[in-house]
Amino acid sequence: MTAVRQSWQVSLRYFRVLLRQPAFLLITIVQPLIWLLLFGALFKAVTQIPGFGGNGSYLDYLTPGIVVMLAVSSAGWTGMGFIEDINSGVMDRLLVTPAWRGAFNVGSVAQCVVSVVLQTLLIIGLALLMGAEIAHAGVLLLVAALLAAAFASLSNGLGVLTRQRESLIGAVSLLLLPLTFLSSALMQLSLAPGWIETVAKFNPVDWAAVAARDPDLLRIGLLAALTVLSGWFATRAFAIYQRSL
Amino acid sequence: MTRTVFEKAIEAVGLVKRYGEVQALDGVDLEVEAGTVFGLLGPNGAGKSTTVRILTTLSRPDAGTVCVAGVDALRDPVGVRRAIGVVAQKHSADPDATARENLVLQAELYGLRDRSRVDELLERFGLQDAADRQAKTYSGGMMRRLDVAIGLIHTPKVLFLDEPTTGLDPEARADLWAEIERLAREERMTILLTTHYLEEADRLASQIAIVDRGRIVARGTPDELKAELRAEAPSDEPVSLNDVYLKHAGRAVAA
């Protein structure tokens, strides 16, 4: 109970930051719309490749892919907040309280998940307006939330361990494109080289993209497990950080 | 009112801390009586902040034992955290949040739901008019007062102040001194204060330890330390704590 309340109070801090920066809020809203229109236009021809197997419109296929890509890229930057807190001195103040360490991570992850869910709703809305059919909107929201939570925790843990903006920027830049392109987010893997299909089996972004189009419990379960594991890692990171002080 | 059931608010024995090649603490012993103000003096880099980080459970020593407010800090850091308040050298208030939001979050982190304590502290530190403005708009003195208010939210038994007046103008410094004296006198709080301002330690602390290169090089009441120096080099000039400091930590200041 205390843990939930503490996490909620910590998350309020991040929601306020979001609401007090209209520019950031605007970007959060506009970004997914740009992605959908841009990728939609660019990859329109993809579905016409023989063997793609798309029986619906290109948007039906791409919408879940764009959602998972957006979830990972939004979540990747979450750790920036902790790096700022460490440099400013706010983090040390939080760590000398008796509060549960996990609350600091959960509070920050909650803000990321809510942003991603809102962005996903916007994408779904726009895709529907453009005539797409989203067969499993609920599952899409679920996997987007899980993926965002997993990567936000990962980013938080990395931020606390490296304490440097450059390191986190490097890690996100390095991982984002491989994670997206070694998955079926934008492309049917049956058309990709065999090794990519193999690698994708271990890629959480692929789990999310596949599950969103054709819900299966195994992949959703893997995403949930990854979310728990990342959360544990981010919580442990505080202890490792303190050991270095 | 806080009732102290322990005689020694802080007991640290043989603290050692190494950062790679750097020996930050080389066997520090500290004893602070409950209900007193203790001044930890020393030049920059002497080991004051490292000591405070260990005493406040932020960091662990490589060797030594720590007992704060009657609780073993190495075995039960959470127990120590409940009993202590910390005002670090850096500003610890979230600049994007208002004073009220900062205090409410801090209260919640200690499991306190009663908001009357927040109002009480806002008023006591003269922040009620600015309570709903973002902290980044505050002056240095206001920001420092908010830092102290944050550290006091749960009425700690032991308060750590790490160079609390560094960078404050004389008026803000005098205000903070008065508040520290009030906390010690009226709330019978134990206060450990680090500083490199000698007049600050002389005025506020009943016991002083001078730390240099990771060791305690002198300790006693301000008067004892002055008397010791007078006995060594008799002169008609009044001895200030500055002379004591120069004698014990002079090498480090010059280095």
Side-chain angles (χ1 to χ4, degrees):
Chain A
M1 234 1 255
T2 315
V4 173
R5 189 170 169 112
Q6 283 174 351
S7 304
W8 163 244
Q9 290 292 330
V10 171
S11 75
L12 286 179
R13 184 183 159 211
Y14 296 100
F15 285 122
R16 281 193 301 255
V17 171
L18 195 66
L19 293 175
R20 280 182 192 152
Q21 293 177 326
F24 191 67
L25 199 62
L26 192 72
I27 291 167
T28 308
I29 293 169
V30 172
Q31 185 195 24
L33 306 182
I34 294 176
W35 281 33
L36 185 67
L37 297 173
L38 209 67
F39 283 98
L42 186 67
F43 287 92
K44 184 166 188 174
V46 166
T47 44
Q48 268 114 57
I49 298 173
F52 193 90
N55 41 9
S57 80
Y58 68 103
L59 266 182
D60 298 4
Y61 184 82
L62 282 182
T63 302
I66 286 164
V67 167
V68 298
M69 199 174 158
L70 190 83
V72 176
S73 77
S74 295
W77 303 110
T78 309
M80 284 300 207
F82 280 180
I83 294 176
E84 210 161 290
D85 282 348
I86 287 175
N87 292 334
S88 69
V90 174
M91 181 61 80
D92 288 355
R93 156 200 161 191
L94 299 176
L95 290 176
V96 294
T97 70
W100 175 53
R101 270 48 187 150
F104 304 132
N105 180 55
V106 173
S108 132
V109 168
Q111 186 260 323
C112 172
V113 168
V114 168
S115 297
V116 165
V117 165
L118 289 176
Q119 288 179 314
T120 303
L121 286 171
L122 279 171
I123 292 181
I124 292 176
L126 186 66
L128 290 175
L129 278 179
M130 290 165 72
E133 274 180 43
I134 314 289
H136 312 286
V139 178
L140 180 56
L141 278 167
L142 175 68
V143 297
L146 287 173
L147 197 64
F151 278 90
S153 285
L154 217 55
S155 175
N156 278 341
L158 275 180
V160 170
L161 293 185
T162 64
R163 302 188 224 171
Q164 281 176 346
R165 294 165 155 272
E166 293 75 12
S167 306
L168 192 63
I169 293 170
V172 174
S173 316
L174 188 73
L175 288 173
L176 192 57
L177 284 186
L179 280 170
T180 309
F181 288 107
L182 296 175
S183 84
S184 58
L186 302 175
M187 174 62 100
Q188 276 282 20
L189 286 177
S190 55
L191 293 171
W195 67 270
I196 290 188
E197 208 175 342
T198 311
V199 172
K201 288 199 174 80
F202 302 95
N203 182 353
V205 177
D206 189 60
W207 303 341
V210 171
R213 293 184 183 117
D214 188 8
D216 77 280
L217 278 178
L218 173 68
R219 288 189 173 82
I220 294 172
L222 282 171
L223 282 171
L226 181 71
T227 304
V228 173
L229 196 69
S230 308
W232 173 82
F233 163 68
T235 307
R236 277 292 302 158
F238 292 115
I240 299 168
Y241 162 75
Q242 280 187 259
R243 217 170 293 147
S244 74
L245 285 178
Chain B
M1 178 100 355
T2 315
R3 275 200 92 94
T4 44
V5 292
F6 40 84
E7 284 174 20
K8 299 270 184 278
I10 300 170
E11 259 185 303
V13 182
L15 295 184
V16 173
K17 184 76 181 179
R18 208 173 289 109
Y19 298 105
E21 296 289 292
V22 182
Q23 185 83 36
L25 296 184
D26 188 14
V28 165
D29 300 322
L30 273 183
E31 259 189 21
V32 178
E33 302 276 337
T36 64
V37 179
F38 187 94
L40 194 59
L41 264 139
N44 287 328
K48 300 189 300 287
S49 287
T50 304
T51 305
V52 170
R53 275 204 293 269
I54 289 173
L55 297 177
T56 57
T57 77
L58 208 49
S59 173
R60 288 174 76 92
D62 297 327
T65 59
V66 188
C67 204
V68 178
V71 181
D72 186 327
L74 303 180
R75 282 210 204 116
D76 182 13
V78 177
V80 170
R81 287 173 194 145
R82 281 199 196 97
I84 63 169
V86 185
V87 180
Q89 210 171 322
K90 287 191 199 170
H91 288 304
S92 58
D94 174 4
D96 291 316
T98 68
R100 189 185 303 280
E101 288 160 355
N102 266 295
L103 288 167
V104 167
L105 174 61
Q106 192 74 1
E108 290 283 348
L109 295 179
Y110 285 92
L112 306 170
R113 299 183 181 191
D114 184 8
R115 299 288 184 261
S116 62
R117 176 72 178 156
V118 170
D119 291 318
E120 185 191 323
L121 285 170
L122 285 170
E123 196 185 326
R124 195 206 294 170
F125 286 93
L127 292 166
Q128 65 271 58
D129 292 337
D132 298 307
R133 250 168 50 204
Q134 281 177 289
K136 62 183 167 201
T137 64
Y138 292 1
S139 69
M142 287 166 80
M143 196 69 174
R144 196 78 252 189
R145 294 206 298 275
L146 176 56
D147 289 333
V148 178
I150 286 172
L152 289 173
I153 192 83
H154 56 301
T155 324
K157 293 178 184 138
V158 183
L159 180 67
F160 292 86
L161 298 165
D162 196 2
E163 303 201 5
T165 61
T166 300
L168 292 187
D169 59 50
E171 196 189 339
R173 178 172 303 162
D175 285 350
L176 192 51
W177 283 358
E179 179 58 27
I180 293 169
E181 283 173 330
R182 196 196 67 76
L183 286 167
R185 198 179 52 240
E186 289 173 25
E187 306 202 14
R188 295 174 43 77
M189 209 172 267
T190 308
I191 297 172
L192 185 141
L193 168 93
T194 81
T195 180
H196 50 238
Y197 296 117
L198 299 151
E199 72 268 37
E200 188 163 288
D202 202 4
R203 167 161 170 191
L204 297 173
S206 57
Q207 288 282 322
I208 287 174
I210 297 176
V211 58
D212 183 36
R213 298 185 181 179
R215 289 174 161 277
I216 304 281
V217 291
R219 69 179 87 218
T221 66
D223 288 339
E224 277 167 8
L225 290 173
K226 288 179 205 166
E228 186 190 315
L229 194 72
R230 197 176 285 121
E232 276 180 31
S235 113
D236 293 336
E237 297 279 311
V239 179
S240 78
L241 207 51
N242 194 36
D243 302 318
V244 178
Y245 183 79
L246 277 174
K247 172 178 176 267
H248 291 289
R251 287 171 305 116
V253 170

